[in-house]
Structures are given as C-alpha cells and as structure tokens.
Amino acid sequence: MKKFYNFLLVAVVMLFTTVTFAQATITGKVIDAETTSPLPGANVAVKGTSDGATADFDGNFTITTSSSSGEIVISYVGFKPISIAFNGDTNVGTISLSPDSLDEVVIVGSGVIDLAEDRRTPVAVSTIRRDEIQLKGVGNVEVTEIMKNTPSVFVSPGGGGFGDSALFVRGFDDTNTAVLLNGQPINAQEDGRVFWSNWQGVSDIANAIQVQRGLGASKLAISSVGGTVNIVMKAAEKGKGGSVRFLSGNDSYFKTTAEYNTGVNDKGWAFSFLIDHWQAHRSWARGTFGQGQNYFFAVGYKPNDRHQFNFLITGAPQYHGQRWSQSEETIENDPKFNQHWGFTSDAVNGQYTSDIDSERRNFYHKPVMNLNWDWTISDVSSLSTVLYASWGRGGGTGPRGDRIRTADGQLDYFAIEQANEAIGVGGFDSAETGYIRRGSMNNHSWYGIVSNFNTELNDNLSFNVGTDLRYYEGDHFRQIIDLYGLDGWAEDGVTYTDTFEADPWAALFDFADENQRIDYDYSETITYQGLFSQLEYSNDKFSTFIQGAVSNQSYVREGRHISYSDEDRGESDKLNKIGFNLKGGVAYAINDANKFFFNAGYYSRQPFLDNVFENIRRSNALVSPEVDNEDITGFEAGYEFKIGDNFTAVANFYHTQWENRVVLQGGGINDNGTPNDTSDDFEVSNFQRGVNQTHIGAELDFIFTPTSWLRINGFFSAGSWKFDGESSFDEFNIDTGELVSSADGINRDGISVPGVAQTTAGLNARANIISGLSADGGFKYYGNSYKHDGGSLQTMNIGTIDDFVLADFGLTYNYTLGNGDRLTFRGNVFNVFDNIVISNTDRFGFFNTDGRTFNVSARYSF
C-alpha cells in the first residue's frame, strides 16, 4: 500500500510539472498606430484555442494559456488585426494597430467603386466606417442619419415615416446627389430620386459610407451636383464567424438580426448570410407604423491570385405609413399630428378596433443582385467589372373620392364604409363618388454593367478607362387597394372590381392586369451608354488628374390606358440626348502636415425622363421646344493641415453654378377661379425652365485627440445659396394634360434657396470611461434656413426658420468572453433634450424634428 501511495504522489507531481511547463503567460499593450492612444477593449485570443483576454483601460493585457507556444491574434473593431508568435512566457511589448483603410473594406470591386482614397488628388470627403454604422445607424434610425455629422449635409425627416427622410448636400437634394451601391447607381432613372425606404437594410450590410461633397471622385457621368454618396456593401467575408442582435426602441420598435460567415475554405469559396425582421406601431408621429425585413446572401470565389468573384443578392421589403409636411400652426399645436390615418372599424356592429391604417402607405420590394469580377492582369494592370440587376415592385397608396373625417381630423373608416355601402357602385362616372384607396404602382426592371480597366504606365502615371451601360424599363399605373364596401369603382366607362394588397411581398407577383388599371397606365424605357476615363500623375509632393465621361441617353414612352387618345397610346418617338463631364485637379504637399488642392469641373447633364414629355402620365408628346441639357460648373479648393499626431483639420471652399435647370412639380390644386367651391378643383403640375442657382460656401472639419481616452471631432459649414436671373413657368391640368397658364420672365434673382439650413456646425466626442465602456455624443447646430412664399415659384423669401440645436448620446459596453466571443451592449438617445421645432420646409408646408427617440441593443458575436 505504501508503494502505491508513493507512486500516486510521483504521478501527481509529474502531472503538475507537465501542466506547469505547458502553460504560458503573454503580456503586452495595444495602441492606435495613428494617435498612439490605448485601445481599451481590444480582443486578444490564442489562435486555435478558447483562451482570450481583453485590453484594460490603458490598453494593457495579460493572457494565460495552456499552450506553451503558438500565435496570439490582436483585433479591434475598425482596425487591421495582427498575429504575433509566442514561445513560453512572453512580453510582446507595445502593439500598434492601424485603422482599416478603405482598401481593406472594399473586398471586391475596387476598380468600379470610386473612393476618394483611390486617388492621390484629394476631394472634400467624409467617411463613416462599419463600426460607427453598426452603433449609430441601426434600428429606428434612418441610414441617412449617420451622414448628418458631415459639413454641408442636411437630413430632413421627410414627415417622420420609416424611410421617408431626404438627404441634402451643399443645398442640393438627393435627386441631384448621386448615390452608388458598390459602384451601381441607384438614383431613380425617371427623376433622380432616392427612396431610402428601399434601402432600410443598408446599415446592416454596409462596410463603409463615403460622402464626397461637390465634384467627388466618381468617374461616371452621374447626377453629382451636390456630391456623391458611395455605399460599400459587405461581400462574402474572409473570416469565419457571425453574430445575433436584438434591438428595441420607442413606440414598440423591435428588430432582430442574425448573420453568419463561413470564411474562406481551402478551395477558395466563402459564403455570408444575413437576415432580420423589424416592426413598430409608429416611428414618432401618429400613423407612421411600419414593418419590414432585410436579407443578404453573398458567395465569393477566388480560384487563384489573379481572379476573384463575388455574387450577392439583397433586398429590404417593407411597408410604412406616411406623413407629409404640415402647417406651422399644426406643428405648434400638435407636432405628432398626421391627417392620413384612422382606426379601422367592424362594419357589422360599428365598433372601432385598436388597429390603425393609413391612406398613405408606402410598400416596396426591390431585390438587387450583382456579380463582381476582379482580374489582376499583370503587376501593373487590372480589370474590374460589376454586372447588376434589380426588380422593383410596389408603390404608394392614396385617396380617390371623398374622405369622411372624425372631429379630430382623422379618417373615419366606419363612416366611409357605411356611405359606400349605401352607394353600391361609386366613382367618377357616377353622381355619388364614394371613397376608395388606390395604389400608384412603380414596377421596374433595371440591368447594367460597369467595367473599368486600370494600368500603371510608370511609377508616377496611372490611366484607366471604362464603360457604364444601363437598361431600364418602368411600368406605372394605378390599381384599387380597398373598396371600403363599394361593389365597384366606375371610371372612364368601366367598372373596376379587383383589389390588391398593399404588401411588398404580394406586390412581387400580384398586381392589376391592364383591364383593371385605373386613372393611368404607361411604361418608359431608358437606355444609357457611357464611356469614362481618367489620367493621374503623382509624386511625393505633387499630384494632378484629368477625368472625362461622355454618354448617350434615350427615352421612349408607351401609353396603354383606355382613357388615352389614339396619339397617346403605343410608343412615342425616341429622344436621344448626349451628355458629358470634364473634371481636373491638382494637389501639392508642402510637407506631411500641410497639403493644398484645387479641383474644377463641368457637367452637361441630360434631363430626367419626367421632364421630357408634356405630361408623363398621359401624353406621348415630347415637350416643345425640346428640353436642353442642364449645365453645372464647379470649383473647389482645400487645405489640410496637421499638428503633431493629435490634430488634423481640412478646410474647403466651393462655388457651384447650376444653369438651365428644369423643375417639374406636381401635387398642387387649382381652384378654377372659385375658391369657395371645391367641386371644380383639379390637380396641376408646374413645369419651369431656365432656373439658375449659385451655391457658394466654406467648410471645416477636424479631429482632435487631446488624451489617450478622448477623441473629439467637429465641423462648421456656411453657405450662400441663391437663385439667379429669370425663368419661365407653365401650369398643366394633370388629368387632362391641358395647359392652364404660362408666363415668362419669372424673376428670382437674389432669392435665397429655401428649404434647408445653409449654416451648420457640430461637435462630437467619444470617451473611454473604463475597460470596455465608452460614451459618445454631440451637438449639431442648424441656422440660416429660409422660408418662401408657399407657392411653386419660390419668388420671394418671407422670413427664416428659427435656428435650433439637436443633441444625441450613446453608450457602448464590450465584454469579451473567455473563448474570444464578444458581447456588445449599445444604447442611443436621439434629440436628448426633446427639442421639437420646425426643421425645414417644402412648397407644401413645414417639417418638424422628431422628439426624443431611443433604442437599446445587445449583440453576441462569435
């Protein structure tokens, strides 16, 4: 027995000795390579094991592992990870992590995604990276909101419905700001609009969003009067892992997201998936309910070092209740008021339910697919190509007939149903019209290819040339959504009885046949062929570039509706318009701390399709005389300076002149000379030619890191945006196409462009409080925003919108588990002080800021 105890003792000692020798302790410190600040919360993991640790407040870490040798991987969100070998107890010293360059963010399509960092000659630019997008731009916040802390950028709430915001850059709205998704243009082909509700999922799948103000870096002949927004979507990720997130916010907002990346296998394949669902009974204003999903699938394949492919498909089907601009009096009395909704009713017993519905509902589903191919031809030459397609289905609902409202101004659905049942069949062809909800449908198919060849002619000179081809076909018609108790709707001698859901999934395949389309029914075909090129020279001190593009755009309209005349049915004549742009610039670096640049450019931009025809809804006739191209001339200069490693600032000055602008506006009402009798009122559209604007301004933004735990950034922009000279004006009856009135010599000279703030300033800070815990927040000031006379012409200013300030705050806590997985908790509060004021205006009325909103989320990353 004694021998047995001695043997057991020896075995325990040997086991303890073995374990002792097998262990290793690794220590070190993690800092930001650019600012030398510590990176608290940096993740340190032993490769191939579950051993891990998190850097403390000062960036220091200690990790104990059962492996006697191997590699540790140090990573931090927004920085390039580093692997370091160890053998036994090791002090790896100070590890400097470099921020991800956008070259690292752009996994595929680097030749067709025109980012400012790809060019040595600078432009005025601000970049929002994935870590900030994930923290601030998710949930019940518009993706446009994360761009607002950029000089000369204004984000309008657009009424407050989910996805209804509008983006303004240097005073130009998003019809005149080009938006690109992985190099693919997404501005609507008919009118240049960007419907942000179609891109609700961008915040979950974007690696970066870059706002290029003014001339920008894009080589395409696109509508970048104000600037260019480049959204870089994720591709099939190189690394293996995933995450699950749960988020909730004010007014019953809830969102859940799951994603997974397989990583690259030994045959060069990688797969990435993401899916989420969100819903809320309102955004902030009443009647702005919403629900939607987001899906993303990508597959990457790299067969060798010369070729890389990536295919993705993504979409964000959604519906939401809408709200338009309001009168000043309404905003003051009830800022949440919305006249477009009401409580639904039970027609059997006349009881109102707790459910709500809106006559103004947007519903849309726009699947997007693209295939990227990057070919490294040689050490100096490459070809990058993206082939894309999208299919949009859906539209927006609205009233047709006579509304009935409750005493507080909401829709009385029960009274509407009772009145309709008494009529039986209603409509424009009967004495009693009744009320229905119609859907204005916009179904389109869009196909395109962008390809760019780049070569380094020598160490200093690079050249690229490419092509941009697009084919677009859109169908526009109205269909009945709800008859509210009517047996049918009579119009143009036809009684219509079919109804269709205002649902984005149903709209993919279930929409009205031609014989069930009310009011109007037409299609348009737009083809586009563009050629672009750039030559850039750079050395250690000096860089210069010249860039040009030429394009041909053709327009054809086809009318189908029963109410159209013979001339307006079938295909119209084809109109071809040639456009071009030419840009150039120079930059000079005095030293690493002082750099200057100057850019200039000229655009001859083709008109939008909606401005080419006399009445796009009803007529095949081209506008006479023919609409000319719009002319845009831009100049900008900038100066970048640094003070040590802690302070960087950039100042920009710009001058943009926009001449021969064509403005088409619809939705106004003409009282037909009888203001007290609404029975003969009709809807009109306004067509204006020769509108000229000049936008001049200055911008400054900076980053300051005064201590290792604090980062401050701020900006200031001031503009003078005014109309120039005279223009013409025509008013048309939308239903008949008849010219109601016209005038020449409309004088706008010197009138300030109304709508959004011409002066903005912001100050933001982020502070590391303790290990893993950080806080961020800031203020933004808006001023110098002009009111106009309320009409279509905007021929006078009648005052200014009061200056105002909004504040946001956020809190983040990161906790790394022992196996290297991470928990991230985030809370956001927007408009912290609940400052509900008029923010901006359009020609119909005013928009107010949303009151205090919030969201909280938890993410598990593995």
Side-chain angles (χ1 to χ4, degrees), residues 89 107 118 143 159 218 245 472 486 501 554 564 736 751 754 794 829 831:
D89 293 344
I107 299 174
D118 292 337
V143 65
S218 176
R245 182 188 64 212
Y472 175 91
L486 284 176
E501 292 184 71
S554 66
Y564 294 165
T736 66
I751 303 300
Q794 303 176 359
V829 183
N831 194 358

Side-chain angles (χ1 to χ4, degrees), residues 345-367:
S345 65
D346 182 341
V348 175
N349 57 29
Q351 297 297 312
Y352 288 100
T353 69
S354 59
D355 296 329
I356 65 171
D357 206 352
S358 174
E359 69 176 8
R360 295 289 186 178
R361 174 192 288 210
N362 175 275
F363 61 104
Y364 217 78
H365 190 175
K366 186 182 175 73

Side-chain angles (χ1 to χ4, degrees), residues 217-327:
S218 176
K219 294 181 283 291
L220 305 183
I222 48 180
S223 305
S224 52
V225 183
T228 304
V229 176
N230 265 295
I231 301 172
V232 183
M233 287 191 295
K234 62 183 286 186
E237 299 284 339
K238 295 178 181 178
K240 182 178 181 180
S243 69
V244 178
R245 182 188 64 212
F246 298 94
L247 183 148
S248 63
N250 57 281
D251 296 296
S252 304
Y253 186 92
F254 177 78
K255 180 176 183 177
T256 180
T257 307
E259 64 174 329
Y260 183 71
N261 309 302
T262 65
V264 183
N265 64 25
D266 55 4
K267 295 183 178 181
W269 290 91
F271 300 87
S272 292
F273 312 85
L274 181 144
I275 189 168
D276 73 27
H277 174 86
W278 65 270
Q279 63 186 52
H281 78 258
R282 70 182 185 192
S283 59
W284 183 76
R286 300 184 187 93
T288 53
F289 55 84
Q291 179 177 296
Q293 296 79 38
N294 177 33
Y295 56 86
F296 172 87
F297 168 73
V299 54
Y301 177 53
K302 190 173 183 179
N304 50 53
D305 290 338
R306 291 195 177 274
H307 297 278
Q308 183 170 336
F309 301 89
N310 188 84
F311 169 81
L312 68 82
I313 181 169
T314 186
Q318 59 78 39
Y319 67 79
H320 68 277
Q322 296 183 292
R323 173 185 185 243
W324 307 132
S325 54
Q326 307 291 324
S327 68

Side-chain angles (χ1 to χ4, degrees), residues 595-652:
K595 299 178 182 178
F596 295 89
F597 69 87
F598 174 81
N599 297 321
Y602 173 78
Y603 283 77
S604 176
R605 189 180 78 171
Q606 298 102 324
F608 294 127
L609 177 137
D610 282 2
N611 297 335
V612 168
F613 294 92
E614 282 188 355
N615 185 331
I616 187 62
R617 287 185 183 176
R618 304 190 177 282
S619 175
N620 278 346
L622 297 169
V623 169
S624 180
E626 185 178 301
V627 178
D628 295 326
N629 284 5
E630 299 177 356
D631 303 309
I632 300 104
T633 305
F635 302 94
E636 57 189 28
Y639 170 49
E640 177 183 330
F641 61 101
K642 295 182 178 181
I643 302 176
D645 295 325
N646 298 329
F647 184 84
T648 301
V650 180
N652 300 295

Side-chain angles (χ1 to χ4, degrees), residues 179-201:
V179 181
L180 303 174
L181 192 68
N182 271 16
Q184 168 188 342
I186 64 172
N187 296 75
Q189 287 289 281
E190 304 100 324
D191 56 12
R193 295 178 64 189
V194 179
F195 300 92
W196 292 104
S197 57
N198 296 340
W199 311 105
Q200 293 275 49

Side-chain angles (χ1 to χ4, degrees), residues 456-477:
E456 304 296 327
L457 300 176
N458 55 45
D459 291 342
N460 303 108
L461 191 62
S462 65
F463 170 75
N464 64 56
V465 62
T467 186
D468 174 14
L469 305 176
R470 310 175 204 170
Y471 176 85
Y472 175 91
E473 187 172 295
D475 294 333
H476 301 270
F477 56 91

Side-chain angles (χ1 to χ4, degrees), residues 690-725:
V691 179
N692 301 323
Q693 295 175 219
T694 299
H695 292 219
I696 303 171
E699 302 161 343
L700 172 69
D701 59 321
F702 68 87
I703 299 174
F704 179 40
T705 311
T707 69
S708 62
W709 54 270
L710 180 64
R711 178 187 176 96
I712 300 171
N713 66 283
F715 64 89
F716 172 80
S717 62
S720 175
W721 310 331
K722 295 182 181 296
F723 290 110
D724 299 325

